[in-house]
Amino acid sequence: MTFSQSPWQDWPNYWATGDSSSLSPHTLLDKTFFGPNARGLNGALYELELQRIELIKFNLFDNSGTYEAYITGRDGTAGPVLQAWPEMQLPPNHPNYKDIESNPEKVCGGELIRFRTVTGICNDIYNPLMGSTHQLFARNVQFDTTFPDLDLNEITKNRHGNRLGLLKPDPQVISRKLFTRMQSQPDKCQRGYGLPDSTAEAECDYKKALTFNVLAVFWIQFMTHDWFSHVDEERNQPQWMTAGCATQLVDNIEQPLTSEDIEKLGCRPDDRINIAPVADNTPPRSFTHDGQPYFTRTPKTTRNNVTAWWDASQLYGYDERSSQRVKRDPKDSAKLLLMSDNESAGEVDKLGYLPTFESTDPINPEWSGQEATAFPDNWSIGLSFFHNVFAREHNAFVDEFRKLVTQTPDVDSGLRNPAKPEVVIRYQDVTPDELFNVARLVISAEIAKIHTIEWTTQLLYNEPLYRGMNANWHGLFHEHAAVSEVLREIIRQLDNTDDVRKANSFYAAFSGGAGIFGLGNHRYEGTPFYSLVDRGRKDIWTLTSNDDINGGVNHFGSPFNFPEEFVTVYRLHPLLPDLIEYREWNKDPNVIKQKIPIMETFRGKATEVMRRKGLANWALSMGRQRAGELTLQNHPQFLQNLKMPHLQSPTQQVDIAALDLIRDRERGIPRYNEFRRQYGLKQLTSFEDFIDSHLPKNSSVRREQGQLVQTLREVYGQHQCDESKVITQAQLNDDKSPINDCLGHPDGSFIDNIEDVDTVVGWLAEFKRPHGFAISETQFVVFILNASRRLFSDRFLTSSFRPEFYTTLGVEWVMHNGPGSEIIEQGMSNGHKQPVSPMKRVLLRALPELAGELQGVVNVFDPWARDRGEYYSTQWKARSDMVGDKAFAK
């Protein structure tokens, strides 16, 4: 009961949800379903699954015109179970409009459904526009809670008291006071730019994550380039605006910064940034249902200029212009063009590197000299690494397929053409274009698998999330039979409800049992739900049935696109170090040879240094080095002082940490406390609530947290509260009374402006987190909803994950993490016997000389030399064969 009033969730306190200290001492019961450990883990999974279902039911808000039908229903069908919308049809001026109109069933068919289309249309054959380029970002929060600075209603006015603006509180002041990394030797860091010649004597201090490496940091940038982008690269010169460094609170009163203040903070009043693009800022239409008023969309909308699907569009393209940047091998057009580099050393370099852009390619001037790929913006050494690795993986799949063409030319490849489903396509019949598109499907699914069961399980390093993420992919029945009891209990409870959303709840729960990936890619005679998990019946799935092709997807009444709230939880810049600890695999990998500023690996410099030093050395360097911790005062200094010569400003610099805050405000992200309420999380009532009350009061860590709380108060201020002002409609107090401005404090008290805290600042201040979590509880709950939805909604990861689309080899490649059967990892990790992970096998194919280095690595995103120790240990301890690594000397 000591921590019962904490705003944080309780499941991380259950048995077996932490490290070995969380395991029950009652060893005789440990391995039984009724033992404490099993009950703890199943209880945690039960809570997480219920949370996902509740979020799906109450947090989907589409901006594209479908929301009114979601609330009111259509033709007698409840809105949350609608699966098709007229707004998701192609307009008459679309190039493919006639292709669909000419289809007797008026749905996508033929070549439009065989493979992933460049623009993302026809993934869902009944909703061709969904997830395609230039669709509006959705929301996970109620429309009237967005853009709090606009004071849309009385509730918002009460909540923030006219204290907010686009630059209020000042974003650069927040950046410098709450985000800046403190340096013990600033002369050896030089604001993140390091020392001349990247000497190893350089030193940029940062708070280090224990179980997450730099490869994992660049992985998420590689992912987000595939998922979302607000920038239209072809639009005209944008308008420019100031970026802050103008005011701060002094004794709770806003005052202009003096020249001395500016020098002390290190901010820049002359910085200029472009104003974020807006799709529509006209007043939204409203409607009433059951006496309740609703907006049909947010006051301002924004567009996603890439496809929302997990389709590796950063590699292969998302529109005509980006596709022109993708180079295919003229000797074998099924392959991506890779060129050998005579200057690089090592056998692996014979596999080649991506070519650089040519003068005739459709690119922005600043991309000149970079590797040619579809999404070349914000290029760095990490992006260069992953693009080259997966280009090699694409070609490795093609090579393996070519072997089958040679060995068994007349054998059925499994591939089919929907226009001629009865015609068998032999291995020798598959054209280069078909093979290229099959390879894209395979690489996309492989990337989705890596992210789901490998990257995420290291980001959220504990047993409930290991089981949960593997269940998302494989199903709860895959490895842990006892966990199926969790599913059965959820179904039992749902079966006793009359909610109109019950069909979606059943679907969500049953898919958890079967695994979302591949859901619906078989159809069996008998009860639809139970056939999901009973694979003993005859498969009657057919390519001639539209419902079979599309039958595995579910959008829960709201067309899939990423919400702006999902974009904001991926503002993960503190993960980046300022300097990369460069090592060489074929000399002494324990020695840090150089400390290379990340700033010196941007754009064309990344391409140059990648080829000069080689993929294997960069893999080793980023694999061994720890990422930064996601917490306050831990942003890279180079990002606060980023030099960008193309900026139209006197400084030609930008503070990316401040820009993150501005972009969230421009896109109407609710502030932290209301953000939490919207997702069903408990509110905070003061800045002290951020402090981890589990820590001893005299500990140095708790003292540091207390100092940061004082800085939060200095930046955001306080006000005299008025309990007559209701501040939210999202939740009620425990006694069912409305939540008011005083947040439980006495009327007229001087209280913290906790309601004004920017959401990014708030979750970085969440010092109390579940064991092994690199991200905060608030970020995690956004992830629970959207990580599942992007699998639920994608036909190629559900009902169309079949040989007819992927070929037999392609299906096996994704399921087994490469050619042949699964390879099982030696030993046990955290109690699991598991296959060699998909990313590890990708690296072994792309970088065979690292086989020795990777021998003891279980998860590629865990620092490679770290001893994983006992059950989910987060200790920073060297593996027995890596004790000489300099990183463990401190």
Side-chain angles (χ1 to χ4, degrees):
M1 295 297 292
T2 306
F3 306 107
S4 61
Q5 299 304 310
S6 165
W8 318 116
Q9 294 182 324
D10 190 45
W11 68 263
N13 298 318
Y14 294 178
W15 288 114
T17 59
D19 59 16
S20 57
S21 66
S22 71
L23 296 173
S24 166
H26 304 293
T27 54
L28 292 178
L29 294 174
D30 275 355
K31 296 181 181 180
T32 70
F33 179 75
F34 299 102
N37 293 332
R39 284 189 286 111
L41 291 171
N42 290 334
L45 287 166
Y46 171 66
E47 286 199 19
L48 293 172
E49 177 64 13
L50 280 180
Q51 194 171 29
R52 177 174 72 160
I53 292 171
E54 290 299 298
L55 289 165
I56 285 174
K57 285 160 60 176
F58 298 114
N59 284 78
L60 303 183
F61 300 88
D62 178 49
N63 266 319
S64 61
T66 71
Y67 185 64
E68 186 171 2
Y70 181 80
I71 296 298
T72 64
R74 188 198 313 140
D75 300 329
T77 301
V81 294
L82 294 174
Q83 294 298 316
W85 304 269
E87 293 85 357
M88 293 293 107
Q89 295 300 310
L90 299 183
N93 62 350
H94 193 281
N96 296 110
Y97 176 77
K98 291 183 179 179
D99 296 327
I100 295 176
E101 284 299 301
S102 63
N103 186 316
E105 297 177 291
K106 306 298 183 187
V107 299
C108 296
E111 289 298 318
L112 288 176
I113 71 169
R114 286 196 77 184
F115 305 115
R116 292 190 180 275
T117 58
V118 171
T119 60
I121 65 167
C122 291
N123 187 310
D124 185 308
I125 66 174
Y126 302 118
N127 299 287
L129 273 182
M130 187 172 64
S132 64
T133 55
H134 306 300
Q135 297 306 296
L136 295 176
F137 282 102
R139 305 304 295 237
N140 281 166
V141 299
Q142 293 170 304
F143 292 145
D144 61 1
T145 66
T146 62
F147 298 93
D149 57 312
L150 298 182
D151 285 344
L152 295 175
N153 51 47
E154 196 65 27
I155 295 287
T156 304
K157 292 177 183 178
N158 291 344
R159 187 187 310 131
H160 299 294
N162 197 34
R163 296 185 297 269
L164 302 185
L166 183 59
L167 300 179
K168 184 176 163 182
D170 193 296
Q172 279 202 60
V173 171
I174 293 173
S175 169
R176 300 297 160 153
K177 290 186 176 183
L178 287 169
F179 290 169
T180 300
R181 283 176 178 162
M182 304 303 177
Q183 296 299 316
S184 60
Q185 302 178 80
D187 58 319
K188 290 189 175 182
C189 182
Q190 298 295 326
R191 295 193 172 189
Y193 283 74
L195 295 178
D197 300 321
S198 300
T199 176
E201 281 67 44
E203 193 68 54
C204 287
D205 298 330
Y206 66 105
K207 301 171 187 174
K208 297 178 175 66
L210 295 178
T211 63
F212 218 46
N213 64 19
V214 174
L215 273 182
V217 182
F218 285 116
W219 172 267
I220 198 56
Q221 187 184 19
F222 180 57
M223 290 296 92
T224 57
H225 279 194
D226 178 29
W227 299 339
F228 46 74
S229 175
H230 292 79
V231 177
D232 183 349
E233 65 187 61
E234 294 185 89
R235 67 189 296 268
N236 294 327
Q237 178 62 44
Q239 294 177 290
W240 298 89
M241 60 177 282
T242 59
C245 191
T247 65
Q248 66 178 344
L249 291 183
V250 179
D251 296 328
N252 214 45
I253 299 172
E254 189 175 34
Q255 301 281 358
L257 291 176
T258 66
S259 56
E260 291 80 8
D261 293 331
I262 292 168
E263 183 177 359
K264 181 179 178 181
L265 288 168
C267 61
R268 296 177 297 273
D270 292 331
D271 277 7
R272 299 289 182 272
I273 60 166
N274 62 296
I275 295 174
V278 173
D280 189 352
N281 61 2
T282 59
R285 185 174 61 82
S286 60
F287 67 96
T288 302
H289 180 68
D290 291 341
Q292 177 75 27
Y294 297 89
F295 286 142
T296 53
R297 61 166 175 79
T298 51
K300 301 177 185 178
T301 59
T302 51
R303 293 192 186 280
N304 188 355
N305 288 297
V306 299
T307 65
W309 305 115
W310 227 333
D311 58 1
S313 61
Q314 76 275 53
L315 292 167
Y316 297 103
Y318 44 87
D319 59 15
E320 182 179 357
R321 178 180 168 90
S322 61
S323 297
Q324 292 172 9
R325 298 194 282 257
V326 180
K327 312 286 189 183
R328 291 167 67 168
D329 191 335
K331 297 177 182 177
D332 182 354
S333 60
K335 289 185 173 183
L336 291 166
L337 178 60
L338 293 175
M339 305 177 70
S340 60
D341 189 336
N342 295 329
E343 296 182 8
S344 297
E347 289 297 313
V348 73
D349 290 318
K350 293 179 180 178
L351 296 175
Y353 292 84
L354 288 165
T356 56
F357 284 126
E358 299 172 1
S359 59
T360 55
D361 288 325
I363 61 172
N364 292 342
E366 61 266 26
W367 300 339
S368 179
Q370 294 178 197
E371 287 103 323
T373 194
F375 195 119
D377 206 10
N378 302 319
W379 199 250
S380 67
I381 194 65
L383 290 177
S384 173
F385 175 82
F386 281 113
H387 277 264
N388 276 292
V389 163
F390 280 97
R392 291 182 178 187
E393 179 71 357
H394 174 107
N395 288 358
F397 175 80
V398 173
D399 285 339
E400 192 68 22
F401 193 93
R402 296 286 191 217
K403 289 180 185 176
L404 294 175
V405 172
T406 301
Q407 295 167 3
T408 55
D410 294 320
V411 170
D412 182 0
S413 69
L415 190 66
R416 294 293 184 271
N417 185 339
K420 302 175 181 178
E422 73 286 349
V423 176
V424 172
I425 300 177
R426 302 170 299 174
Y427 279 106
Q428 65 177 343
D429 300 329
V430 177
T431 69
D433 274 350
E434 288 173 331
L435 183 51
F436 179 87
N437 281 293
V438 166
R440 177 177 183 172
L441 279 171
V442 170
I443 298 304
S444 300
E446 196 172 24
I447 286 172
K449 185 176 185 180
I450 290 166
H451 188 84
T452 303
I453 70 169
E454 192 166 3
W455 186 86
T456 303
T457 57
Q458 198 61 40
L459 178 84
L460 310 169
Y461 189 58
N462 61 39
E463 182 67 6
L465 271 298
Y466 176 87
R467 295 192 187 189
M469 296 313 302
N470 277 276
N472 249 18
W473 191 264
H474 298 292
L476 286 170
F477 301 105
H478 173 64
E479 183 179 354
H480 303 282
V483 182
S484 65
E485 297 298 326
V486 176
L487 179 66
R488 293 190 182 101
E489 173 61 17
I490 291 171
I491 293 167
R492 184 190 66 76
Q493 289 201 12
L494 293 173
D495 202 24
N496 292 330
T497 68
D498 294 319
D499 196 305
V500 296
R501 299 173 175 86
K502 188 167 79 171
N504 282 336
S505 299
F506 263 73
Y507 186 95
F510 271 99
S511 66
I516 299 171
F517 184 78
L519 184 68
N521 69 349
H522 294 72
R523 180 164 60 91
Y524 307 97
E525 298 174 344
T527 306
F529 281 131
Y530 285 100
S531 67
L532 290 172
V533 294
D534 182 3
R535 300 301 175 93
R537 306 181 185 187
K538 181 180 179 182
D539 182 10
I540 56 174
W541 192 102
T542 173
L543 194 56
T544 60
S545 168
N546 289 331
D547 287 343
D548 282 354
I549 293 169
N550 216 71
V553 303
N554 193 307
H555 313 304
F556 306 98
S558 187
F560 172 71
N561 203 331
F562 289 110
E564 286 287 8
E565 289 72 31
F566 184 75
V567 176
T568 198
V569 301
Y570 277 104
R571 298 197 184 282
L572 305 176
H573 289 125
L575 291 173
L576 280 169
D578 287 284
L579 312 172
I580 293 182
E581 298 169 352
Y582 176 74
R583 306 162 186 264
E584 295 179 344
W585 72 273
N586 56 351
K587 294 182 181 176
D588 186 350
N590 292 328
V591 174
I592 299 169
K593 304 284 288 186
Q594 291 179 292
K595 291 185 180 175
I596 301 176
I598 289 181
M599 189 58 224
E600 293 302 316
T601 73
F602 278 177
R603 303 202 185 282
K605 291 180 180 179
T607 304
E608 176 189 354
V609 76
M610 173 57 71
R611 295 187 179 193
R612 180 158 40 87
K613 294 184 178 294
L615 268 175
N617 288 332
W618 284 111
L620 172 71
S621 302
M622 294 187 286
R624 288 273 190 112
Q625 186 175 356
R626 283 187 281 179
E629 183 182 352
L630 283 169
T631 191
L632 294 177
Q633 295 186 344
N634 204 33
H635 271 66
Q637 289 209 348
F638 80 89
L639 284 180
Q640 291 179 302
N641 304 283
L642 190 61
K643 297 172 183 177
M644 301 184 72
H646 72 281
L647 290 177
Q648 294 187 8
S649 69
T651 64
Q652 293 191 311
Q653 285 181 273
V654 65
D655 182 338
I656 297 295
L659 182 61
D660 282 348
L661 299 174
I662 294 171
R663 291 296 186 240
D664 275 359
R665 295 175 185 181
E666 286 181 300
R667 293 163 188 163
I669 301 298
R671 296 300 172 97
Y672 175 74
N673 230 16
E674 183 62 19
F675 189 100
R676 281 180 61 87
R677 296 188 195 105
Q678 288 288 313
Y679 282 92
L681 297 172
K682 292 182 180 179
Q683 65 189 13
L684 279 65
T685 62
S686 75
F687 294 139
E688 262 78 16
D689 285 345
F690 284 118
I691 294 175
D692 183 359
S693 56
H694 293 74
L695 295 170
K697 290 186 178 181
N698 61 350
S699 70
S700 60
V701 175
R702 185 158 178 170
R703 284 198 302 271
E704 181 185 359
Q705 292 176 7
Q707 292 167 357
L708 286 168
V709 160
Q710 291 301 321
T711 306
L712 281 166
R713 189 167 289 128
E714 173 189 327
V715 169
Y716 285 99
Q718 297 180 306
H719 73 281
Q720 188 174 14
C721 74
D722 182 351
E723 67 178 15
S724 70
K725 294 181 176 180
V726 176
I727 64 170
T728 184
Q729 294 178 321
Q731 294 181 13
L732 297 172
N733 289 313
D734 291 341
D735 63 2
K736 306 305 179 185
S737 63
I739 294 173
N740 65 54
D741 182 44
C742 289
L743 295 172
H745 300 282
D747 189 25
S749 299
F750 212 53
I751 69 167
D752 291 334
N753 291 338
I754 187 71
E755 298 297 332
D756 300 349
V757 172
D758 292 270
T759 302
V760 171
V761 174
W763 66 58
L764 288 174
E766 288 183 31
F767 305 121
K768 179 69 177 76
R769 298 178 185 179
H771 175 83
F773 268 41
I775 60 173
S776 70
E777 174 184 283
T778 306
Q779 290 169 287
F780 173 62
V781 75
V782 182
F783 162 82
I784 288 176
L785 170 59
N786 293 288
S788 299
R789 282 204 79 212
R790 62 185 169 196
L791 292 174
F792 275 128
S793 286
D794 195 327
R795 170 170 64 89
F796 287 108
L797 299 179
T798 53
S799 47
S800 291
F801 177 68
R802 289 182 58 92
E804 289 89 339
F805 300 94
Y806 281 75
T807 72
T808 301
L809 175 65
V811 168
E812 292 173 350
W813 191 284
V814 176
M815 295 304 293
H816 299 161
N817 304 335
S821 58
E822 277 188 338
I823 301 173
I824 302 301
E825 193 73 66
Q826 293 181 1
M828 303 276 283
S829 177
N830 299 320
H832 298 284
K833 194 76 176 176
Q834 62 189 51
V836 175
S837 70
M839 189 66 215
K840 180 173 174 178
R841 289 198 64 185
V842 167
L843 290 185
L844 289 171
R845 285 188 287 272
L847 304 165
E849 66 250 57
L850 289 184
E853 177 71 25
L854 290 167
Q855 181 73 31
V857 174
V858 175
N859 188 307
V860 166
F861 301 115
D862 196 352
W864 289 5
R866 189 180 82 89
D867 184 348
R868 284 164 77 92
E870 295 183 5
Y871 188 77
Y872 292 97
S873 169
T874 57
Q875 288 187 335
W876 183 241
K877 177 184 175 183
R879 281 170 30 196
S880 58
D881 54 338
M882 303 286 182
V883 290
D885 190 327
K886 300 290 185 182
F888 295 91
K890 297 181 181 179

